[in-house]
Amino acid sequence: MAPVMRMTLNLNPGVSYSSMSDGQRTSGARLAEAGVRATRQRLLVLETLAREPHDATAQEIYARLRQGGEPVGLATVYRTLALLSEHGVVDEFAHRPGETCYRVCGEGHHHHLVCARCHGVAELEGCELDEWLVRASREHGFQPTSHTLEVVGLCASCQAA
């Protein structure tokens, strides 16, 4: 189990709870840029996930594909999502105990606010963790290679409900 680190963040109020925007690359282009071969199943999984308003589990993606009449196996969906995550095409979330959630996010380094109730995801651009991470790493003789931040809570809509 990884040690828990505590930190304070300055959050940007202009975050978005939307899915992949029209201006973002197509699924085929995303795969090509990541060096992933664009098979029919990979495109189906990625396009199905891109249509999700929030995050989704492999089981949810599988169910949507089956409802649409696509003969894709559950193991294929799991393997595809793992591959896409490994290559940075999709982001992974750990806010549901026992399940990994996935989402097609914007480009570049960012962090997430995840609503525990509606599963809305807000992308936070402009990482201010670097200075803190350099200091903390130096104090512990650690060499970081990457970092992610997922803050779980309730969005404004769920708080009001």
Side-chain angles (χ1 to χ4, degrees):
M1 180 178 278
V4 176
M5 294 185 173
R6 300 182 191 276
M7 63 191 77
T8 303
L9 296 174
N10 294 325
L11 301 178
N12 221 344
V15 292
S16 167
Y17 279 88
S18 64
S19 185
M20 189 173 168
S21 70
D22 293 336
Q24 290 181 311
R25 299 181 314 276
T26 65
S27 296
R30 278 183 162 281
L31 294 177
E33 288 175 15
V36 175
R37 191 167 52 91
T39 66
R40 180 179 179 279
Q41 291 89 352
R42 290 173 185 167
L43 288 168
L44 283 171
V45 169
L46 183 56
E47 289 167 0
T48 301
L49 182 59
R51 285 191 295 273
E52 289 293 318
H54 305 304
D55 62 13
T57 66
Q59 293 277 348
E60 291 168 334
I61 296 301
Y62 172 73
R64 281 162 186 64
L65 288 166
R66 298 297 291 178
Q67 288 168 356
E70 295 296 343
V72 176
L74 180 58
T76 299
V77 173
Y78 272 102
R79 281 192 308 269
T80 299
L81 289 168
L83 176 75
L84 298 178
S85 176
E86 180 182 319
H87 284 14
V89 177
V90 301
D91 286 354
E92 278 188 19
F93 302 95
H95 64 95
R96 292 187 196 181
E99 292 184 284
T100 300
C101 297
Y102 300 89
R103 183 167 189 271
V104 176
C105 287
E107 298 177 43
H109 181 74
H110 61 276
H111 298 290
H112 303 100
L113 297 178
V114 183
C115 182
R117 188 174 297 156
C118 73
H119 304 286
V121 178
E123 294 179 33
L124 304 174
E125 295 181 12
C127 177
E128 297 180 15
L129 295 177
D130 290 333
E131 284 184 37
W132 171 81
L133 188 56
V134 167
R135 261 192 337 273
S137 297
R138 193 176 308 131
E139 288 173 16
H140 295 280
F142 186 78
Q143 179 61 49
T145 56
S146 68
H147 70 270
T148 60
L149 177 66
E150 175 181 332
V151 178
V152 180
L154 294 176
C155 68
S157 296
C158 289
Q159 289 177 58

